């Protein structure tokens, strides 16, 4: 059954939460008193639609329904998750919780996006304190997985368990903190770095752009994949962490830092920072910067996914879970009617698959058809275990016809037919669609090989039988239009 999330406050963060829930199949009900809020949420959603679905190599569930409401009571009606993202002021947050708790479901989770307040502060004076907890996300909420979950003694352990399950289900990484503290964990780092950067600008040591360069050309990339301690462990060389600490620990006491002071936010300092920031990035609109940021995040996260590491390992796990629950997790025996083409790919076109022509690059058609072949091999039993036992298929010949273009974010399906197969041979026909629009066809001839001799060999009996079952059941279908075509054939 579709679940409903209420988003109270639809600004930068509320809009991001709305997109995260919606694109993971939840219905979303928004309340925000700003008359412009629906437009802003729509704009965030448009950016999310072009970036989030393509993170995975399998489609997310169908998008839920979005509605905007004129009161908190209407927005929280029937919601099992309520995410508060109103401005960072305790009095506004308290008034919002009081209004929510007048009518919300008693079992609903009330998560607060607060960047700094402790959950015990949020719970003060609440009708049901145990229902309120910190669920602190990171911008853009629809792409970044981290959520700091901070609870108090009032919070039921079973609720925490269900909160973690629900957040994991929408592709997030709940980090449950052992103790509450002002600004949780991640914002304490960010504040420390920000404070130091402000001094560097104020003292004329570096501009905003130079500081950003110091991060993005170096330790920023390093942190994204290993964090702080794992990075420093490696930096200690063979002698490891203890050596690293012995060598660099004393430096912490040298005057390298002004971390304990905060520069005063005088008009001069604000103008200096804002002016440098305008010079650095003012030629891009905020929405354009968001799109640049999202393109980069998607490319980096997909690179981490290929390595099954860090945030990428989380994507792998989500993808495995979605596949297992869909027809893409089927084996040949699960398919009652083998006479029909088999769905082998159901996914969104990722941002990093598009090119200078603004559409899916030709190389990615081969990628998608290659993935469809891999999926079909798995379906007939040529899976990781079979390959480890020494047999596999190598592609000998490929012919792709590009019929129509497709853009980032579109959901594409590949349906696969067997034109022939058995013994050493497998002849596949892939058709790629967006809805019922044919985008491309791929004809692929593969040979079964022994991975030991690297020479053609007959497929194992179970793989062979499964392949022949499809080939026989589909043999009476007319030959697909375009099959056997070659580049010089008359048009
Ligand atoms: N912007 C950021 O980078 C991050 C912000 N947060 C936290 O998220 C929360 C929201 O921050 P932003 O989205 O950045 O602020 P924002 O200013 O973009 O959005 C706040 C929204 O709340 C609405 N609002 C004001 N009073 C309201 C009320 N009584 N009921 C419902 N809506 C109301 C406003 O109209 C506005 O659309 C804050 O607690 C902030 O600390 C958390 C992570 C990152
Ligand atoms: C600046 N900030 C404190 C609102 C930042 C956050 O809370 C998290 C983020 O997205 O950086």
């Amino acid at each position: 059954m579709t679940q409903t999330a209420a988003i109270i406050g639809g600004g930068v963060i509320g809009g991001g939460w709305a997109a995260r829930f919606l694109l993971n199949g939840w219905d979303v009900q928004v309340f925000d008193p700003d008359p412009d809020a629906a437009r802003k949420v729509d704009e965030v959603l448009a950016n999310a639609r072009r970036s989030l679905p393509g993170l995975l190599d399998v489609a997310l569930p169908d998008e839920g329904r979005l509605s905007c409401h004129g009161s908190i009571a209407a927005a929280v009606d029937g919601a099992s998750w309520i995410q508060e993202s109103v401005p960072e002021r305790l009095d506004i947050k308290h008034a919002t919780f009081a209004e929510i708790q007048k009518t919300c479901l008693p079992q609903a989770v009330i998560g607060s996006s607060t960047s700094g307040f402790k959950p015990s502060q949020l719970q003060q004076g609440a009708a049901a304190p145990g229902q309120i907890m910190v669920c602190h996300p990171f911008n853009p909420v629809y792409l970044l997985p981290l959520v700091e979950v901070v609870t108090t003694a009032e919070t039921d352990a079973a609720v925490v368990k269900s909160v973690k399950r629900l957040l994991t289900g929408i592709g997030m990484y709940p980090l449950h903190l052992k103790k509450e503290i002002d600004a949780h964990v991640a914002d304490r780092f960010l504040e420390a770095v920000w404070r130091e950067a402000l001094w560097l600008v104020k003292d004329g040591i570096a501009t905003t752009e130079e500081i950003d360069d110091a991060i993005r050309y170096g330790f920023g990339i390093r942190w994204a994949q290993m964090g702080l301690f794992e990075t420093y462990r490696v930096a200690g060389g063979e002698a490891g962490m203890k050596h690293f600490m012995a060598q660099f620990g004393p430096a912490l006491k040298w005057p390298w830092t002004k971390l304990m002071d905060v520069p005063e936010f005088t008009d001069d300092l604000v103008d200096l920072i804002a002016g440098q920031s305008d010079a650095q990035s003012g030629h891009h609109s905020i929405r354009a910067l968001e799109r640049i940021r999202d393109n980069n995040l998607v490319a980096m996260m997909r690179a981490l996914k290929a390595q099954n590491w860090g945030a990428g390992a989380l994507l792998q796990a989500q993808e495995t879970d979605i596949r297992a629950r869909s027809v893409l997790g089927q084996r040949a025996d699960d398919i009652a009617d083998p006479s029909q083409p088999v769905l082998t790919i159901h996914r969104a076109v990722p941002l990093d698959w598009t090119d200078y022509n603004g559409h899916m690059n030709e190389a990615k058609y081969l990628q998608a058809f290659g993935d469809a072949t891999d999926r079909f091999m798995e379906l007939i039993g040529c899976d990781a275990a079979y390959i480890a036992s020494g047999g596999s298929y190598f592609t000998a010949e490929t012919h792709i016809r590009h019929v129509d273009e497709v853009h980032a974010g579109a959901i594409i399906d590949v349906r696969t037919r067997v034109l022939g197969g058995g013994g050493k041979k497998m002849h596949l026909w892939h058709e790629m669609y967006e809805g019922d629009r044919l985008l491309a066809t791929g004809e692929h001839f593969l040979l079964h090989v022994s991975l030991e001799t690297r020479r053609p060999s007959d497929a194992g009996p179970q793989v062979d039988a499964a392949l022949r079952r499809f080939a026989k059941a589909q043999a009476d279908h007319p030959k697909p239009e375009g099959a056997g075509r070659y580049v010089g054939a008359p048009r």
Side-chain angles (χ1 to χ4, degrees), residues 9 11-13 31-34 85-88 93 113-115 136-137:
V12 173
I13 293 304
F31 168 71
D32 189 308
D34 178 359
S85 305
V86 302
E88 187 75 350
K93 299 222 184 250
S113 299
T114 180
S115 299
H136 175 232

Side-chain angles (χ1 to χ4, degrees), residues 13 113-116 136-140 144 184 186-187 190-191 194:
I13 293 304
S113 299
T114 180
S115 299
H136 175 232
F138 290 77
N139 191 35
L144 295 189
H184 328 311
D187 273 355
L190 294 177
E191 291 271 304
W194 192 38

